[in-house]
Amino acid sequence: MNALDLARWQFGITTVYHFLFVPLTIGTSFLVAIMQTAWFRTGDERWLRATKFFGKLLLINFAMGVVTGIVQEFQFGMAWSDYSRFVGDIFGAPLAVEGLASFFLESTFLGLWIFGWDRLSRGLHLTTIWLASIGTMLSAYFILAANSFMQHPVGYTYNPVTGRAELQDFGRVLFQNTTVTTFFHTITSCFLVSGTMVLGVSLWLMMRGKSVDAMRKTMSLGVITVLIAGIGVVFTGDAQAKIMVQQQPMKMAAAEGLYKTSAPAPFSLFKLGTIDGSAEYFSIDIPGLLSFMATGDWNGEVKGINDLQAQYTAKFGPGNYAPYVPLVFWAFRAMIGLGMIAVLFALFVWWRTRKGKIPSNKWLGWAAITCVLFPLGGTAAGWIFTEMGRQPWIVFGLMKTQDGVSPTLSTGTALISIVTLTVLYGVLAIIEVGLLARAVKIGPPETVELLPVDDDANNGRTLTFSY
Amino acid sequence: MSLEMLQNIWIGLIAVLWIGYFVLEGFDFGVGVLLPIVAKDEAERRTVLTTLGPIWDGNEVWLLVAGGATFAAFPEWYATLFSGFYLALLLILVALIVRGVAFEFRSKRGDRTWRKRWDIAITVASFVPALLWGVAFANIVRGVPLQLDANNNSQFVGNFFDLLNPYALIGGLTTLALFVTHGAVFLALKTDGDIRVRANKVAGQTGLAAAVLAVVFGVWTQLAYSNNPISWLPLALAVVAWVATLGMNRLGREGWAFVTSAVTLAMVVLFLFTCLYPNVMPSTLDPAATLTIHNASSTEYTLRLMTWVAVVFTPVVLVYQAWTYWVFRKRLSPGQIPNPHEGALDLPHEITV
């Protein structure tokens, strides 16, 4: 492996890892804000206990999201300096705005929320969790605008003198259809993940007879979230596919392993063949479905890899313009399949718990506690699909990944770096999962004692929360 | 506004972001380093850490924004600096990761060994960046081996150990001593009882060490590397503010001591930036490879756009961050800390208190 391969693996590992915490933070902060609002509006103390409990899970998770996020920002310059030079004029802007407009918001107001229970009036305290939640979503928007530029560069010109891409229209970068659909697809996926987590954890605790009253409420919240988010994921994903087939047809062709341009084109649930597409041994096809996904017409034409390869060679010169098809093919299926499992599980749980029933099957307990792994795996697969599907490009049509890596990066440094981060992330994952497991095992507090709000700076009473 | 003016505005804004970072995370690095010295038992340790609880994360964002703003405004600088200082930044990253997680995870279990390990993590992971930021900045001011590559890009051609030269190490010790003292001053302001007394005493001692280091480092920098005589001014102001810090600390005027130590750190950053100006990363090998605010910057369009963004958002951020400090303005003492297992994720059989 050379420095380029190591840098790519490192980016993949650190990004997928970071994105385990991101959807849980974005979705859960919103759901906790809903729970706290329900308590604020009704005074029903079950919602308060739920807020405290899921708030605890949120915080354990948020810490990991924050610290792994720093690596993301630094890594562009460290390992991808030629990429940073090439697109800095454009790509740096949303990153800087993300910091100013959203990182400050989420970190400051989450700090106020954690430590402010007995300091801020109830209404103001509720506002802090909403602001933190809005901060997380804004953050997603700006970073996805930056990513969408890599998928479909717009609003720039190429300056041949400096050899750089230069920003011409920031509005187009922020509001191009790629950014908007990607944002909604990502946010709905985040809710799918968090809704599944909330429903799974609630169900598990109910089955153990812990805080059944409060957990029944949050379980319903989780089920509703998953169902709404599930519908949202499908519609936004459909919109995204139709945009993708125009902007990055190669990614769509690779998603199906479609070598020959076809009308209609089928969608295979399962396929085995050679990597160059010369032979196909076995497949289960749904006729016309890929055409429908790509064009909205069951007979629509979908370009195949071979035609696109010929077209790109003519346009960009000799080279291989197809991504690694088996990975893209299976990541696409994993994304859809794992997401669907989450929705089906939510429906199943809703059916098994209707009319106040509490199921007691052992396997269902296990399923409840692990079900979040399905949509989490789905979001990871989604990122692997969209990033690997763009290859060999780092910025589609403008810069190849191999040209973006830092020319000064030695194999030794790249190796030290990837080993250090992977080992550190591995250790932290074990600690994090251990803490989450404890928090879930303990469950929500039986009672919550809230001190009256007191902003007197000089009283010496015991803190509600301390490190 | 002309491109040149925008470039000046942006180097100014980036200096402001680093001032924010040094002033704010500076004290929480100091508090982390001092944890084993100023706190003698569990309640005291928790008091010390809780002074940082609501704010450390917001403080750290100043670094992220400084990084993002450098990427947006001076992409060439961002690219050359971050790729050139790869291993040093990796060390800082590891420290910041461990530190952030340590703050949040430490109190999650009552177990002594668990907490002790996180305490060590907090101290070491605060020490490392407090030292390395100084080393990094000293190297930037001193100049590093940069050469133009085939594409006319300035590339760092040295290695990690080139960064550990004596001058840069003094720079590192200077920021370390300043941050530690700043942290002690902060603790004296934010706590009551024994911690306050100890912090006050520590600030007096490390403050003297910092004074000596800062004068050596400052004068060396000014004489050997400054591009502008005007940089004497922030240097002199830093010295005056530091003398005031030591005096106010001795008098027990903790609020003023904190204000003046914050001013000192602000002046230190300003000093480094005025020494550099108009360079942002001088080359020791080839003047043509030196990065300046002119050859490293983004286009006029991007700079103008980002100026608007900064004008709109920075005041808002300052207001709500200042408000957070107001909300948590109260002094803390160990008597206010709840029982160690309160809020910890201890299973029933593990609770011994």
Side-chain angles (χ1 to χ4, degrees):
Chain A
M1 277 215 209
N2 56 22
L4 171 67
D5 295 331
L6 290 166
R8 288 185 66 189
W9 272 104
Q10 178 179 305
F11 200 90
I13 290 168
T14 53
T15 307
V16 167
Y17 189 78
H18 176 59
F19 209 80
L20 298 175
F21 309 106
V22 171
L24 279 167
T25 301
I26 291 178
T28 313
S29 60
F30 187 90
L31 293 177
V32 168
I34 298 249
M35 293 174 199
Q36 192 171 340
T37 307
W39 169 63
F40 181 79
R41 299 280 297 251
T42 64
D44 182 342
E45 131 337 308
R46 284 175 293 184
W47 284 117
L48 175 61
R49 281 153 55 209
T51 304
K52 288 276 189 178
F53 172 62
F54 284 104
K56 192 166 271 185
L57 300 185
L58 168 68
L59 295 182
I60 295 172
N61 192 69
F62 183 78
M64 293 289 286
V66 168
V67 297
T68 54
I70 314 174
V71 177
Q72 296 306 100
E73 190 193 81
F74 277 37
Q75 166 161 243
F76 292 116
M78 289 162 72
W80 301 95
S81 66
D82 271 6
Y83 164 77
S84 303
R85 282 176 215 286
F86 182 70
V87 297
D89 199 66
I90 302 148
F91 193 84
L95 245 64
V97 180
E98 185 188 17
L100 261 176
S102 46
F103 288 164
F104 272 128
L105 199 66
E106 57 186 353
S107 60
T108 309
F109 284 97
L110 204 68
L112 278 158
W113 184 73
I114 303 169
F115 287 87
W117 281 93
D118 57 357
R119 288 243 148 256
L120 303 172
S121 72
R122 300 276 180 254
L124 199 52
H125 186 253
L126 176 63
T127 314
T128 61
I129 185 75
W130 277 111
L131 287 172
S133 166
I134 291 167
T136 64
M137 287 194 226
L138 274 178
S139 161
Y141 195 90
F142 291 115
I143 197 64
L144 291 171
N147 180 264
S148 295
F149 180 83
M150 299 165 76
Q151 310 289 353
H152 183 240
V154 290
Y156 74 98
T157 47
Y158 176 73
N159 180 340
V161 179
T162 57
R164 318 245 186 280
E166 294 180 351
L167 186 56
Q168 273 218 312
D169 186 347
F170 193 50
R172 284 197 69 196
V173 175
L174 279 190
F175 302 116
Q176 67 156 323
N177 57 8
T178 321
T179 306
V180 176
T181 49
T182 305
F183 173 73
F184 284 110
H185 191 58
T186 308
I187 289 293
T188 46
S189 316
C190 292
F191 280 101
L192 191 65
V193 172
S194 289
T196 306
M197 185 277 284
V198 168
L199 105 83
V201 167
S202 305
L203 175 64
W204 190 80
L205 285 164
M206 273 171 67
M207 290 170 72
R208 300 194 126 206
K210 278 199 177 162
S211 295
V212 176
D213 54 346
M215 291 301 101
R216 185 173 289 285
K217 294 224 161 227
T218 50
M219 192 198 66
S220 304
L221 178 66
V223 170
I224 293 166
T225 307
V226 170
L227 296 182
I228 295 175
I231 294 168
V233 168
V234 170
F235 278 97
T236 54
D238 176 63
Q240 229 185 342
K242 292 190 168 54
I243 290 170
M244 181 176 78
V245 82
Q246 288 165 16
Q247 297 173 346
Q248 295 184 75
M250 185 63 103
K251 194 187 279 184
M252 194 49 141
E256 174 53 29
L258 184 75
Y259 285 87
K260 294 190 195 82
T261 301
S262 311
F267 179 84
S268 326
L269 295 175
F270 186 89
K271 173 147 72 181
L272 285 177
T274 54
I275 288 181
D276 61 3
S278 56
E280 195 174 295
Y281 305 125
F282 177 75
S283 82
I284 306 171
D285 293 347
I286 301 176
L289 181 57
L290 185 70
S291 290
F292 181 74
M293 286 163 82
T295 64
D297 173 358
W298 290 93
N299 291 311
E301 184 190 83
V302 181
K303 289 251 188 232
I305 293 170
N306 296 340
D307 278 353
L308 290 165
Q309 169 67 25
Q311 186 189 324
Y312 289 165
T313 310
K315 189 171 174 191
F316 301 112
N320 179 10
Y321 295 95
Y324 184 60
V325 175
L327 179 64
V328 176
F329 179 92
W330 288 111
F332 190 61
R333 274 145 196 80
M335 169 181 81
I336 297 173
L338 293 170
M340 273 169 58
I341 290 176
V343 175
L344 293 175
F345 185 70
L347 282 170
F348 177 75
V349 168
W350 167 75
W351 179 68
R352 286 297 301 271
T353 56
R354 72 196 191 287
K355 294 183 194 152
K357 280 187 287 190
I358 299 179
S360 57
N361 326 41
K362 195 164 182 193
W363 73 268
L364 190 56
W366 275 105
I369 208 70
T370 52
C371 61
V372 68
L373 296 176
F374 291 102
L376 261 186
T379 52
W383 275 112
I384 291 168
F385 164 67
T386 199
E387 293 297 292
M388 290 304 290
R390 191 187 58 235
Q391 302 304 322
W393 302 103
I394 191 166
V395 182
F396 184 79
L398 278 182
M399 184 184 227
K400 287 189 177 167
T401 305
Q402 64 191 46
D403 299 325
V405 74
S406 300
T408 51
L409 182 63
S410 68
T411 310
T413 301
L415 194 63
I416 292 172
S417 172
I418 192 173
V419 170
T420 307
L421 288 172
T422 308
V423 170
L424 178 64
Y425 279 13
V427 172
L428 291 180
I430 293 168
I431 297 172
E432 149 104 5
V433 170
L435 285 177
L436 287 173
R438 281 170 173 273
V440 171
K441 228 181 232 176
I442 293 165
E446 294 299 328
T447 54
V448 177
E449 202 186 328
L450 276 187
L451 294 171
V453 178
D454 183 356
D455 190 35
D456 177 2
N458 294 316
N459 86 44
R461 76 182 181 191
T462 306
L463 300 171
T464 306
F465 182 87
S466 91
Y467 268 159
Chain B
M1 277 183 287
S2 68
L3 176 61
E4 184 166 359
M5 194 169 160
L6 287 162
Q7 289 163 340
N8 283 316
I9 289 174
W10 270 91
I11 193 65
L13 278 171
I14 285 172
V16 167
L17 293 169
W18 280 104
I19 288 174
Y21 183 64
F22 270 41
V23 167
L24 297 173
E25 192 146 78
F27 73 71
D28 68 51
F29 285 145
V31 170
V33 172
L34 289 174
L35 180 65
I37 297 166
V38 293
K40 301 297 181 194
D41 61 30
E42 178 58 14
E44 289 187 352
R45 281 188 284 274
R46 298 186 71 196
T47 309
V48 167
L49 293 174
T50 302
T51 61
L52 300 182
I55 49 178
W56 73 267
D57 189 10
N59 293 350
E60 196 152 290
V61 173
W62 286 85
L63 170 66
L64 286 165
V65 177
T70 309
F71 198 168
F74 300 104
E76 299 286 329
W77 185 22
Y78 171 79
T80 303
L81 175 67
F82 279 59
S83 59
F85 288 12
Y86 195 112
L87 288 176
L89 287 172
L90 180 67
L91 265 174
I92 289 176
L93 281 177
V94 169
L96 294 182
I97 291 170
V98 170
R99 201 173 166 269
V101 170
F103 285 141
E104 296 298 332
F105 287 1
R106 180 193 186 278
S107 60
K108 294 286 179 283
R109 297 207 17 209
D111 180 35
R112 272 230 185 105
T113 323
W114 168 271
R115 292 196 172 180
K116 192 159 186 140
R117 283 184 189 155
W118 288 119
D119 288 341
I120 296 169
I122 288 170
T123 301
V124 174
S126 299
F127 181 93
V128 169
L131 181 81
L132 288 183
W133 284 125
V135 172
F137 269 95
N139 274 299
I140 294 173
V141 173
R142 176 177 180 263
V144 284
L146 298 181
Q147 259 173 357
L148 290 176
D149 67 7
N151 300 319
N152 232 11
N153 294 325
S154 292
Q155 302 286 4
F156 181 80
V157 293
N159 64 47
F160 175 64
F161 296 99
D162 290 344
L163 302 180
L164 302 178
N165 54 75
Y167 165 75
L169 288 174
I170 291 181
L173 290 174
T174 306
T175 52
L176 175 65
L178 286 170
F179 289 161
V180 167
T181 312
H182 190 44
V185 168
F186 172 81
L187 274 179
L189 175 65
K190 287 291 298 175
T191 59
D192 222 343
D194 292 345
I195 305 171
R196 184 179 177 184
V197 174
R198 285 185 211 121
N200 179 279
K201 202 170 146 207
V202 170
Q205 295 162 343
T206 58
L208 280 178
V212 174
L213 285 162
V215 168
V216 172
F217 176 69
V219 173
W220 188 344
T221 306
Q222 177 66 42
L223 295 179
Y225 306 117
S226 179
N227 290 329
N228 303 289
I230 188 77
S231 56
W232 278 111
L233 183 64
L235 179 60
L237 289 174
V239 171
V240 172
W242 197 246
V243 171
T245 306
L246 296 180
M248 290 299 159
N249 181 63
R250 178 159 290 200
L251 293 174
R253 303 291 301 268
E254 287 134 343
W256 282 109
F258 184 72
V259 169
T260 51
S261 73
V263 170
T264 309
L265 285 167
M267 287 304 124
V268 168
V269 175
L270 198 60
F271 169 66
L272 295 169
F273 275 80
T274 30
C275 285
L276 274 169
Y277 184 90
N279 294 343
V280 288
M281 212 173 169
S283 168
T284 51
L285 300 176
D286 175 8
T290 290
L291 291 173
T292 69
I293 62 168
H294 307 299
N295 68 12
S297 93
S298 293
T299 56
E300 196 174 332
Y301 177 88
T302 299
L303 291 178
R304 180 167 298 131
L305 169 85
M306 292 309 299
T307 306
W308 281 109
V309 171
V311 165
V312 172
F313 284 105
T314 317
V316 181
V317 169
L318 285 174
V319 167
Y320 66 65
Q321 279 213 335
W323 178 65
T324 305
Y325 279 84
W326 171 253
V327 169
F328 299 105
R329 66 195 176 283
K330 173 172 157 172
R331 281 182 190 274
L332 294 177
S333 59
Q336 292 167 273
I337 298 297
N339 133 19
H341 293 276
E342 180 95 32
L345 303 171
D346 292 326
L347 303 171
H349 69 271
E350 292 170 328
I351 298 175
T352 49
V353 169

